[in-house]
Amino acid sequence: MKPERRFKLLAAVALADGELTAEEEAFLFTLAERMGLARGLARATVASLLVDSSESGLQPAVPPDGGRALFDDLVALVRVDGEVSATERQLVLHLSPAFGVSRAEALAALNA
């Protein structure tokens, strides 16, 4: 999955509950930097999702070699502010099969 698409998925999950906490924002931009994305592109992606969340693209086509790492980033992102909302939990559980992660594994990761 291209870095831009990875970041868009991460940003969409961060915004799933309708807010982006300071902790989520900081972690999200750390992930963008780690992926080699320019901060301006990352900010533009977040801004576009704030305007039109229907463009979030929350059905990932995950390559076999990158699925678990991306899933781990998603879980870390929703947990970074110390609170996993019901919407975030539901979304992670919905997406987990695309990453080859069972519901039980996803629940364990969310509750760790």
Side-chain angles (χ1 to χ4, degrees):
M1 179 183 291
K2 292 182 180 181
E4 294 84 0
R5 180 104 169 100
R6 282 178 76 101
F7 182 78
K8 189 173 186 178
L9 176 65
L10 290 162
V13 170
L15 292 165
D17 60 359
E19 66 177 323
L20 185 64
T21 67
E23 296 89 354
E24 288 171 333
E25 181 178 31
F27 188 64
L28 191 57
F29 290 120
T30 296
L31 292 172
E33 185 176 310
R34 189 174 80 194
M35 287 182 235
L37 293 180
R39 195 169 193 87
L41 177 60
R43 288 198 181 281
T45 299
V46 171
S48 72
L49 289 172
L50 285 168
V51 171
D52 185 5
S53 63
S54 69
E55 291 298 316
S56 61
L58 290 177
Q59 294 300 329
V62 182
D65 61 342
R68 186 59 194 226
L70 182 52
F71 177 79
D72 291 343
D73 285 345
L74 287 172
V75 170
L77 182 59
V78 300
R79 294 188 65 211
V80 73
D81 63 357
E83 181 180 333
V84 178
S85 73
T87 303
E88 290 170 332
R89 178 179 303 279
Q90 182 179 11
L91 187 53
V92 169
L93 292 174
H94 171 74
L95 293 172
S96 63
F99 298 102
V101 176
S102 71
R103 181 176 177 85
E105 287 176 295
L107 284 169
L110 288 167
N111 295 324

XYZ file of all heavy atoms in Angstrom:
826
model
N 0.854 -1.174 0.000
C 0.000 0.000 0.000
C 0.899 1.235 0.000
O 1.849 1.309 0.762
C -0.898 -0.037 1.244
C -1.828 1.148 1.371
S -2.837 1.144 2.882
C -3.927 -0.195 2.593
N 0.589 2.172 -0.846
C 1.375 3.399 -0.944
C 1.266 4.203 0.350
O 0.225 4.173 1.019
C 0.891 4.246 -2.113
C 1.173 3.623 -3.460
C 0.724 4.538 -4.571
C 1.024 3.906 -5.912
N 0.631 4.766 -7.013
N 2.325 4.934 0.694
C 2.312 5.722 1.936
C 1.133 6.690 2.032
O 0.554 6.850 3.107
C 3.640 6.483 1.902
C 4.521 5.661 1.037
C 3.624 5.017 0.018
N 0.760 7.305 0.926
C -0.358 8.252 0.952
C -1.655 7.544 1.344
O -2.447 8.065 2.117
C -0.530 8.936 -0.416
C 0.616 9.821 -0.811
C 1.780 9.079 -1.481
O 1.718 7.824 -1.651
O 2.764 9.749 -1.818
N -1.849 6.346 0.809
C -3.064 5.569 1.115
C -3.034 5.071 2.557
O -4.052 5.077 3.241
C -3.150 4.388 0.128
C -4.339 3.517 0.329
C -5.380 3.786 -0.737
N -6.401 2.771 -0.690
C -7.586 2.957 -0.088
N -7.874 4.096 0.452
N -8.467 1.987 -0.068
N -1.855 4.627 3.010
C -1.702 4.200 4.411
C -2.069 5.338 5.344
O -2.812 5.161 6.308
C -0.264 3.777 4.702
C 0.142 2.433 4.226
C 1.612 2.181 4.536
N 1.822 1.885 5.932
C 1.996 0.665 6.418
N 1.978 -0.372 5.614
N 2.189 0.478 7.690
N -1.517 6.517 5.038
C -1.764 7.669 5.906
C -3.238 8.050 5.898
O -3.811 8.370 6.938
C -0.907 8.879 5.494
C -1.126 10.044 6.413
C -0.511 10.074 7.662
C -1.966 11.083 6.065
C -0.736 11.120 8.540
C -2.194 12.134 6.934
C -1.575 12.152 8.174
N -3.861 8.012 4.735
C -5.282 8.363 4.641
C -6.126 7.414 5.488
O -7.057 7.839 6.171
C -5.735 8.346 3.187
C -7.123 8.898 2.985
C -7.443 9.021 1.511
C -8.768 9.720 1.305
N -9.095 9.894 -0.104
N -5.798 6.144 5.462
C -6.509 5.169 6.284
C -6.315 5.473 7.765
O -7.270 5.498 8.542
C -6.042 3.754 5.964
C -6.635 2.643 6.828
C -8.134 2.521 6.592
C -5.941 1.324 6.546
N -5.077 5.733 8.161
C -4.788 6.052 9.559
C -5.534 7.318 9.991
O -6.131 7.364 11.072
C -3.282 6.225 9.770
C -2.458 4.945 9.674
C -0.987 5.273 9.456
C -2.649 4.085 10.913
N -5.502 8.339 9.149
C -6.185 9.593 9.475
C -7.688 9.389 9.590
O -8.338 9.939 10.493
C -5.867 10.653 8.425
N -8.260 8.585 8.695
C -9.697 8.318 8.738
C -10.083 7.615 10.032
O -11.108 7.930 10.643
C -10.118 7.491 7.531
N -9.260 6.686 10.473
C -9.540 5.999 11.735
C -9.418 6.980 12.905
O -10.247 6.981 13.811
C -8.616 4.775 11.912
C -8.727 4.202 13.314
C -8.975 3.704 10.882
N -8.407 7.837 12.867
C -8.240 8.824 13.935
C -9.436 9.759 14.023
O -9.815 10.203 15.112
C -6.959 9.629 13.714
N -10.056 10.038 12.894
C -11.199 10.961 12.851
C -12.549 10.256 12.961
O -13.586 10.903 12.928
C -11.154 11.763 11.552
C -9.998 12.754 11.449
C -9.824 13.227 10.017
C -10.240 13.927 12.383
N -12.543 8.948 13.120
C -13.788 8.169 13.118
C -14.779 8.602 14.181
O -15.984 8.539 13.974
C -13.483 6.680 13.268
N -14.273 9.049 15.317
C -15.175 9.458 16.388
C -15.519 10.945 16.321
O -16.129 11.487 17.238
C -14.592 9.098 17.758
C -13.260 9.759 18.034
O -12.748 10.500 17.173
O -12.711 9.524 19.127
N -15.124 11.606 15.240
C -15.497 12.997 15.039
C -14.564 14.012 15.674
O -14.821 15.213 15.606
N -13.488 13.535 16.272
C -12.537 14.477 16.857
C -11.119 13.958 16.683
O -10.896 12.765 16.484
C -12.829 14.715 18.335
C -12.618 13.511 19.220
C -12.859 13.813 20.693
O -12.525 14.912 21.158
O -13.403 12.938 21.362
N -10.200 14.890 16.738
C -8.784 14.555 16.645
C -8.116 15.200 17.857
O -7.940 16.412 17.903
C -8.187 15.089 15.335
C -6.748 14.712 15.028
C -6.619 13.201 14.834
C -6.257 15.436 13.787
N -7.803 14.373 18.852
C -7.173 14.911 20.056
C -5.741 15.337 19.748
O -5.164 14.939 18.729
C -7.145 13.867 21.193
O -6.276 12.793 20.815
C -8.543 13.344 21.522
N -5.174 16.125 20.621
C -3.794 16.581 20.439
C -2.838 15.393 20.375
O -1.906 15.378 19.559
C -3.402 17.528 21.570
N -3.093 14.389 21.208
C -2.242 13.197 21.206
C -2.362 12.428 19.894
O -1.361 11.968 19.344
C -2.602 12.263 22.374
C -2.361 12.853 23.744
C -3.568 13.616 24.293
O -4.575 13.796 23.573
O -3.492 14.056 25.443
N -3.593 12.291 19.406
C -3.802 11.596 18.134
C -3.142 12.354 16.992
O -2.495 11.754 16.135
C -5.305 11.440 17.850
C -5.994 10.426 18.721
C -7.504 10.447 18.578
O -8.093 11.499 18.236
O -8.116 9.393 18.805
N -3.307 13.665 16.989
C -2.714 14.479 15.929
C -1.195 14.353 15.931
O -0.581 14.133 14.878
C -3.118 15.943 16.085
C -2.545 16.820 14.994
C -2.974 18.265 15.126
O -3.185 18.745 16.257
O -3.062 18.924 14.079
N -0.586 14.469 17.093
C 0.871 14.370 17.181
C 1.352 12.999 16.701
O 2.313 12.906 15.926
C 1.335 14.624 18.611
N 0.675 11.935 17.141
C 1.073 10.585 16.738
C 0.855 10.381 15.241
O 1.680 9.787 14.551
C 0.326 9.538 17.551
C 0.810 8.136 17.325
C 2.097 7.770 17.667
C -0.015 7.189 16.765
C 2.553 6.469 17.453
C 0.422 5.886 16.550
C 1.720 5.534 16.891
N -0.254 10.899 14.735
C -0.565 10.775 13.314
C 0.532 11.417 12.470
O 1.005 10.838 11.494
C -1.916 11.426 13.032
C -2.564 11.200 11.686
C -2.763 9.722 11.413
C -3.898 11.919 11.628
N 0.982 12.602 12.854
C 2.026 13.275 12.080
C 3.392 12.624 12.285
O 4.236 12.673 11.383
C 2.026 14.770 12.354
C 0.811 15.447 11.768
C -0.074 16.131 12.564
C 0.531 15.352 10.411
C -1.212 16.722 12.030
C -0.602 15.927 9.857
C -1.472 16.623 10.672
N 3.595 11.961 13.404
C 4.811 11.163 13.590
C 4.803 9.992 12.613
O 5.825 9.677 11.987
C 4.920 10.650 15.040
O 5.044 11.770 15.907
C 6.096 9.721 15.224
N 3.644 9.353 12.469
C 3.517 8.249 11.508
C 3.742 8.746 10.083
O 4.410 8.081 9.289
C 2.149 7.581 11.636
C 1.892 6.804 12.919
C 0.432 6.367 13.001
C 2.818 5.607 13.029
N 3.201 9.915 9.758
C 3.392 10.484 8.418
C 4.875 10.701 8.144
O 5.370 10.352 7.057
C 2.627 11.798 8.282
N 5.556 11.250 9.115
C 6.991 11.482 8.964
C 7.739 10.172 8.769
O 8.617 10.058 7.918
C 7.515 12.221 10.198
C 8.964 12.630 10.100
C 9.395 13.427 11.310
O 8.701 14.395 11.678
O 10.440 13.056 11.897
N 7.363 9.174 9.559
C 7.984 7.854 9.455
C 7.773 7.240 8.069
O 8.615 6.523 7.553
C 7.421 6.942 10.541
C 8.156 5.620 10.668
C 7.671 4.829 11.835
N 6.423 4.164 11.480
C 5.607 3.602 12.335
N 5.867 3.620 13.623
N 4.501 3.018 11.929
N 6.630 7.555 7.437
C 6.326 7.046 6.095
C 6.995 7.879 5.008
O 6.910 7.531 3.833
C 4.816 7.081 5.861
C 4.051 6.040 6.620
S 2.310 6.190 6.191
C 1.603 6.370 7.807
N 7.598 8.994 5.393
C 8.252 9.852 4.414
C 7.320 10.841 3.739
O 7.652 11.390 2.687
N 6.151 11.092 4.344
C 5.203 12.052 3.767
C 5.520 13.457 4.251
O 5.823 13.663 5.432
C 3.765 11.709 4.163
C 3.187 10.424 3.615
C 1.758 10.241 4.099
C 3.222 10.412 2.100
N 5.399 14.414 3.362
C 5.586 15.812 3.731
C 4.473 16.229 4.688
O 3.323 15.802 4.545
C 5.565 16.687 2.485
N 4.817 17.059 5.651
C 3.842 17.511 6.643
C 2.661 18.230 5.973
O 1.517 18.081 6.380
C 4.513 18.405 7.673
C 3.675 18.623 8.903
C 4.523 19.304 9.990
N 3.880 19.282 11.279
C 3.954 18.305 12.164
N 4.651 17.244 11.878
N 3.345 18.381 13.324
N 2.944 18.985 4.919
C 1.875 19.687 4.213
C 0.877 18.728 3.583
O -0.330 18.958 3.641
N 1.376 17.657 2.991
C 0.496 16.647 2.403
C -0.322 15.963 3.493
O -1.523 15.730 3.330
C 1.299 15.614 1.616
C 0.503 14.450 1.014
C -0.561 14.947 0.042
C 1.430 13.468 0.332
N 0.305 15.666 4.615
C -0.406 15.035 5.730
C -1.504 15.962 6.251
O -2.641 15.525 6.462
C 0.572 14.682 6.842
N -1.189 17.223 6.430
C -2.198 18.187 6.901
C -3.344 18.331 5.894
O -4.513 18.393 6.276
C -1.569 19.538 7.179
C -0.721 19.555 8.408
C -0.480 20.986 8.899
N 0.363 20.982 10.066
C -0.046 20.713 11.299
N -1.306 20.429 11.526
N 0.792 20.743 12.328
N -3.019 18.370 4.611
C -4.053 18.487 3.577
C -4.962 17.259 3.579
O -6.180 17.377 3.397
C -3.397 18.680 2.204
N -4.388 16.092 3.802
C -5.181 14.866 3.856
C -6.150 14.905 5.029
O -7.338 14.599 4.874
C -4.258 13.630 3.973
O -3.423 13.585 2.825
C -5.059 12.343 4.082
N -5.659 15.308 6.190
C -6.528 15.419 7.371
C -7.620 16.449 7.125
O -8.802 16.200 7.411
C -5.707 15.761 8.634
C -6.614 16.097 9.804
C -4.782 14.596 8.988
N -7.259 17.592 6.566
C -8.243 18.642 6.296
C -9.321 18.155 5.334
O -10.505 18.430 5.534
C -7.548 19.879 5.738
N -8.926 17.411 4.301
C -9.920 16.918 3.349
C -10.866 15.916 4.002
O -12.052 15.879 3.681
C -9.252 16.313 2.114
O -8.650 15.077 2.413
N -10.351 15.112 4.922
C -11.204 14.150 5.626
C -12.146 14.854 6.594
O -13.266 14.382 6.821
C -10.353 13.122 6.371
C -9.636 12.119 5.476
C -8.661 11.281 6.299
C -10.612 11.227 4.743
N -11.717 15.965 7.154
C -12.598 16.730 8.036
C -13.777 17.307 7.261
O -14.880 17.385 7.770
C -11.823 17.853 8.726
C -10.907 17.422 9.857
C -9.988 18.566 10.266
C -11.713 16.929 11.052
N -13.525 17.681 6.010
C -14.566 18.256 5.169
C -15.480 17.172 4.613
O -16.694 17.321 4.581
C -13.937 19.071 4.013
C -14.984 19.500 3.009
C -13.197 20.273 4.565
N -14.895 16.062 4.165
C -15.683 15.012 3.510
C -15.190 13.641 3.948
O -14.320 13.055 3.314
C -15.586 15.144 1.993
C -16.491 14.157 1.260
O -17.274 13.436 1.918
O -16.412 14.113 0.025
N -15.762 13.125 5.025
C -15.334 11.830 5.551
C -15.746 10.665 4.661
O -15.267 9.556 4.833
C -15.865 11.615 6.968
O -17.278 11.587 6.946
N -16.626 10.901 3.678
C -17.009 9.809 2.782
C -15.850 9.401 1.886
O -15.882 8.349 1.273
C -18.204 10.215 1.918
O -17.826 11.218 0.987
N -14.816 10.213 1.829
C -13.644 9.916 1.011
C -12.574 9.164 1.792
O -11.444 9.051 1.361
C -13.048 11.220 0.467
C -13.926 11.897 -0.550
C -14.139 11.045 -1.781
O -13.173 10.456 -2.291
O -15.282 10.942 -2.230
N -12.913 8.647 2.951
C -11.906 8.060 3.821
C -11.286 6.778 3.288
O -10.155 6.462 3.608
C -12.490 7.802 5.208
O -13.560 6.892 5.129
N -12.003 6.004 2.509
C -11.424 4.781 1.959
C -11.102 3.754 3.018
O -9.991 3.293 3.126
N -12.081 3.373 3.814
C -11.834 2.487 4.945
C -11.952 1.007 4.624
O -12.221 0.204 5.481
C -12.762 2.843 6.101
C -12.444 4.170 6.762
C -13.467 4.477 7.843
C -11.050 4.176 7.337
N -11.737 0.633 3.398
C -11.690 -0.777 3.014
C -10.301 -1.035 2.429
O -10.115 -1.005 1.227
C -12.792 -1.107 2.000
C -14.182 -0.979 2.559
C -14.427 -1.911 3.734
O -13.880 -2.994 3.826
N -15.261 -1.483 4.647
N -9.333 -1.285 3.291
C -7.961 -1.386 2.801
C -7.686 -2.669 2.027
O -8.211 -3.720 2.340
C -7.136 -1.380 4.087
C -8.045 -1.981 5.098
C -9.430 -1.522 4.719
N -6.863 -2.530 1.011
C -6.300 -3.678 0.317
C -4.877 -3.783 0.849
O -3.998 -3.056 0.427
C -6.314 -3.450 -1.179
N -4.688 -4.634 1.815
C -3.426 -4.679 2.549
C -2.516 -5.760 1.988
O -2.928 -6.908 1.866
C -3.699 -4.948 4.045
C -2.411 -4.961 4.827
C -4.641 -3.895 4.594
N -1.286 -5.390 1.662
C -0.349 -6.412 1.201
C 0.009 -7.354 2.337
O 0.053 -6.939 3.500
C 0.876 -5.602 0.755
C 0.785 -4.331 1.508
C -0.676 -4.081 1.742
N 0.275 -8.623 2.066
C 0.553 -9.594 3.119
C 1.733 -9.209 4.010
O 1.739 -9.515 5.184
C 0.861 -10.889 2.374
C 0.513 -10.662 0.961
C 0.319 -9.201 0.739
N 2.697 -8.503 3.459
C 3.873 -8.166 4.260
C 3.688 -6.915 5.099
O 4.517 -6.627 5.953
C 5.100 -8.001 3.358
C 4.932 -6.883 2.345
O 3.796 -6.457 2.089
O 5.955 -6.436 1.808
N 2.632 -6.157 4.902
C 2.471 -4.918 5.652
C 1.224 -4.853 6.482
O 0.951 -3.849 7.127
N 0.458 -5.916 6.488
C -0.820 -5.883 7.180
C -0.724 -5.718 8.674
O -1.381 -4.879 9.255
N 0.098 -6.517 9.305
C 0.155 -6.474 10.763
C 0.762 -5.175 11.259
O 0.300 -4.602 12.258
C 0.939 -7.685 11.303
C 0.907 -7.791 12.808
C -0.541 -7.906 13.284
N -0.658 -7.675 14.702
C -1.355 -8.433 15.520
N -2.008 -9.489 15.057
N -1.423 -8.160 16.786
N 1.763 -4.670 10.580
C 2.381 -3.410 11.002
C 1.379 -2.262 10.908
O 1.299 -1.423 11.817
C 3.613 -3.108 10.161
N 0.594 -2.235 9.852
C -0.413 -1.185 9.705
C -1.505 -1.346 10.755
O -1.952 -0.365 11.355
C -1.002 -1.201 8.292
C -2.039 -0.141 7.964
C -1.558 1.261 8.296
C -2.438 -0.239 6.495
N -1.924 -2.573 11.009
C -2.916 -2.810 12.059
C -2.382 -2.329 13.407
O -3.098 -1.666 14.164
C -3.288 -4.292 12.140
C -4.247 -4.588 13.252
C -5.598 -4.326 13.103
C -3.801 -5.097 14.464
C -6.488 -4.568 14.138
C -4.682 -5.343 15.498
C -6.028 -5.077 15.334
N -1.136 -2.642 13.711
C -0.535 -2.200 14.976
C -0.507 -0.680 15.072
O -0.750 -0.109 16.141
C 0.869 -2.778 15.142
C 0.859 -4.287 15.359
O -0.204 -4.861 15.698
O 1.930 -4.904 15.174
N -0.224 -0.001 13.952
C -0.260 1.470 13.941
C -1.666 1.981 14.207
O -1.859 2.957 14.940
C 0.232 2.020 12.597
C 1.737 1.936 12.429
O 2.457 1.726 13.436
O 2.205 2.080 11.282
N -2.675 1.326 13.615
C -4.071 1.735 13.845
C -4.448 1.609 15.316
O -5.054 2.516 15.891
C -5.027 0.881 13.007
C -5.067 1.142 11.514
C -5.903 0.084 10.814
C -5.619 2.520 11.228
N -4.072 0.501 15.919
C -4.393 0.290 17.336
C -3.664 1.313 18.199
O -4.254 1.912 19.102
C -4.067 -1.152 17.773
C -4.176 -1.306 19.280
C -5.007 -2.132 17.076
N -2.386 1.526 17.930
C -1.624 2.519 18.697
C -2.244 3.901 18.555
O -2.331 4.658 19.533
C -0.170 2.531 18.245
N -2.715 4.222 17.368
C -3.320 5.530 17.116
C -4.607 5.719 17.915
O -4.799 6.763 18.533
C -3.585 5.693 15.618
C -4.175 7.005 15.160
C -3.274 8.180 15.530
C -4.408 6.974 13.659
N -5.474 4.721 17.940
C -6.732 4.887 18.675
C -6.516 4.837 20.185
O -7.346 5.348 20.941
C -7.838 3.891 18.244
C -8.165 4.053 16.775
C -7.502 2.470 18.581
N -5.409 4.267 20.624
C -5.130 4.178 22.063
C -4.286 5.334 22.592
O -4.166 5.511 23.804
C -4.413 2.864 22.362
C -5.300 1.645 22.101
C -4.685 0.363 22.568
N -4.580 0.442 24.015
C -3.633 -0.149 24.723
N -2.716 -0.867 24.141
N -3.597 -0.043 26.034
N -3.700 6.133 21.711
C -2.702 7.116 22.125
C -3.239 8.163 23.102
O -2.500 8.651 23.950
C -2.025 7.788 20.891
C -2.960 8.766 20.203
C -0.725 8.461 21.286
N -4.514 8.481 23.025
C -5.060 9.494 23.937
C -5.632 8.886 25.219
O -6.212 9.583 26.036
C -6.111 10.357 23.239
C -7.327 9.571 22.772
O -7.364 8.335 22.933
O -8.245 10.207 22.225
N -5.437 7.576 25.388
C -5.870 6.918 26.614
C -7.322 6.493 26.623
O -7.799 5.938 27.612
N -8.033 6.742 25.539
C -9.454 6.383 25.474
C -9.790 5.872 24.080
O -9.567 6.560 23.089
C -10.321 7.604 25.776
C -11.791 7.320 25.750
C -12.610 8.571 26.052
O -12.133 9.466 26.731
O -13.745 8.617 25.552
N -10.320 4.672 24.006
C -10.777 4.114 22.737
C -12.293 4.267 22.712
O -13.004 3.644 23.508
C -10.377 2.627 22.589
C -10.900 2.065 21.279
C -8.863 2.460 22.682
N -12.778 5.127 21.824
C -14.223 5.351 21.744
C -14.902 4.115 21.164
O -14.266 3.266 20.536
C -14.525 6.574 20.871
O -14.312 6.274 19.507
N -16.208 4.035 21.362
C -16.977 2.918 20.810
C -16.865 2.894 19.291
O -16.750 1.819 18.686
C -18.438 3.028 21.236
N -16.855 4.060 18.666
C -16.734 4.142 17.217
C -15.377 3.638 16.758
O -15.282 2.877 15.786
C -16.938 5.593 16.738
O -18.220 6.039 17.183
C -16.849 5.709 15.232
N -14.315 4.047 17.451
C -12.973 3.587 17.104
C -12.862 2.075 17.278
O -12.317 1.379 16.422
C -11.922 4.296 17.965
C -11.761 5.765 17.641
C -10.921 6.506 18.645
O -10.868 6.102 19.841
O -10.308 7.528 18.260
N -13.394 1.560 18.382
C -13.353 0.122 18.642
C -14.072 -0.642 17.534
O -13.550 -1.612 16.990
C -13.996 -0.184 19.998
C -14.049 -1.672 20.348
C -14.670 -1.903 21.716
N -13.976 -1.189 22.767
C -12.850 -1.596 23.359
N -12.313 -2.745 23.012
N -12.280 -0.885 24.297
N -15.257 -0.203 17.189
C -16.046 -0.866 16.156
C -15.310 -0.838 14.822
O -15.283 -1.837 14.090
C -17.404 -0.186 16.029
C -18.320 -0.839 15.018
C -19.663 -0.137 14.942
O -19.871 0.948 15.480
N -20.599 -0.759 14.259
N -14.699 0.279 14.499
C -13.983 0.408 13.236
C -12.767 -0.513 13.187
O -12.539 -1.193 12.181
C -13.558 1.862 13.035
C -12.945 2.218 11.706
C -13.825 1.796 10.540
C -12.690 3.718 11.653
N -11.992 -0.565 14.255
C -10.826 -1.457 14.293
C -11.273 -2.913 14.155
O -10.666 -3.690 13.420
C -9.988 -1.234 15.567
C -8.931 -2.321 15.744
C -9.331 0.142 15.525
N -12.334 -3.286 14.841
C -12.837 -4.658 14.736
C -13.338 -4.957 13.321
O -13.146 -6.060 12.803
C -13.944 -4.901 15.756
C -13.502 -4.907 17.215
C -14.712 -5.022 18.145
C -12.501 -6.013 17.492
N -13.960 -3.972 12.699
C -14.446 -4.137 11.322
C -13.282 -4.319 10.346
O -13.366 -5.126 9.413
C -15.276 -2.908 10.933
C -15.644 -2.858 9.489
N -16.604 -3.669 8.922
C -15.164 -2.097 8.472
C -16.696 -3.410 7.634
N -15.834 -2.457 7.336
N -12.201 -3.578 10.547
C -11.063 -3.615 9.634
C -10.108 -4.777 9.887
O -9.358 -5.169 8.991
C -10.275 -2.300 9.720
C -10.980 -1.053 9.220
C -10.157 0.184 9.544
C -11.240 -1.150 7.724
N -10.123 -5.330 11.083
C -9.114 -6.331 11.458
C -9.003 -7.515 10.488
O -7.881 -7.949 10.199
C -9.323 -6.814 12.893
O -10.551 -7.467 13.053
N -10.095 -8.066 9.937
C -9.930 -9.191 9.013
C -9.091 -8.844 7.776
O -8.371 -9.692 7.249
C -11.363 -9.554 8.611
C -12.208 -9.069 9.733
C -11.521 -7.817 10.218
N -9.174 -7.593 7.324
C -8.383 -7.180 6.163
C -6.884 -7.233 6.443
O -6.080 -7.315 5.532
C -8.772 -5.764 5.731
N -6.540 -7.203 7.722
C -5.139 -7.253 8.136
C -4.720 -8.647 8.571
O -3.621 -8.848 9.066
C -4.895 -6.274 9.289
C -5.159 -4.846 8.922
C -6.330 -4.229 9.325
C -4.256 -4.132 8.166
C -6.583 -2.912 8.989
C -4.499 -2.824 7.818
C -5.667 -2.216 8.222
N -5.631 -9.606 8.432
C -5.331 -10.967 8.856
C -5.319 -11.116 10.364
O -4.657 -11.995 10.909
N -6.080 -10.265 11.043
C -6.125 -10.269 12.506
C -7.520 -10.728 12.932
O -8.525 -10.173 12.474
C -5.826 -8.855 13.068
C -5.966 -8.813 14.575
C -4.427 -8.400 12.633
N -7.566 -11.712 13.806
C -8.858 -12.215 14.275
C -9.518 -11.208 15.216
O -8.860 -10.321 15.765
C -8.673 -13.540 15.017
O -8.045 -13.313 16.272
N -10.806 -11.377 15.401
C -11.549 -10.502 16.319
C -10.964 -10.593 17.732
O -10.809 -9.582 18.406
C -13.018 -10.888 16.321
C -13.869 -10.024 17.220
C -15.346 -10.400 17.108
N -16.154 -9.632 18.020
C -16.648 -8.424 17.782
N -16.399 -7.843 16.618
N -17.374 -7.797 18.675
N -10.627 -11.811 18.155
C -10.051 -11.988 19.498
C -8.718 -11.259 19.629
O -8.467 -10.604 20.654
C -9.868 -13.474 19.791
N -7.876 -11.346 18.595
C -6.595 -10.640 18.625
C -6.799 -9.129 18.644
O -6.106 -8.410 19.358
C -5.750 -10.983 17.401
C -5.154 -12.361 17.384
C -4.432 -12.617 16.074
O -5.078 -12.659 15.017
O -3.186 -12.750 16.139
N -7.768 -8.661 17.851
C -8.058 -7.229 17.798
C -8.554 -6.729 19.145
O -8.111 -5.684 19.633
C -9.079 -6.935 16.709
N -9.452 -7.481 19.765
C -9.945 -7.094 21.103
C -8.827 -7.069 22.126
O -8.741 -6.145 22.935
C -11.059 -8.042 21.551
C -12.419 -7.839 20.895
C -13.356 -8.989 21.226
C -13.020 -6.499 21.300
N -7.954 -8.058 22.067
C -6.819 -8.099 22.988
C -5.916 -6.888 22.781
O -5.447 -6.280 23.757
C -6.034 -9.398 22.806
N -5.673 -6.521 21.542
C -4.814 -5.371 21.252
C -5.456 -4.083 21.735
O -4.780 -3.211 22.296
C -4.535 -5.301 19.748
N -6.752 -3.944 21.542
C -7.454 -2.752 21.982
C -7.497 -2.631 23.495
O -7.488 -1.527 24.036
C -8.885 -2.735 21.428
C -9.011 -2.470 19.933
C -10.421 -2.795 19.463
C -8.646 -1.028 19.612
N -7.539 -3.762 24.175
C -7.668 -3.759 25.631
C -6.337 -3.873 26.360
O -6.321 -3.904 27.595
C -8.591 -4.890 26.080
C -10.007 -4.676 25.589
O -10.493 -3.551 25.522
N -10.659 -5.747 25.189
N -5.248 -3.998 25.630
C -3.915 -4.189 26.262
C -3.509 -2.986 27.081
O -3.928 -1.902 26.921
C -2.871 -4.461 25.186
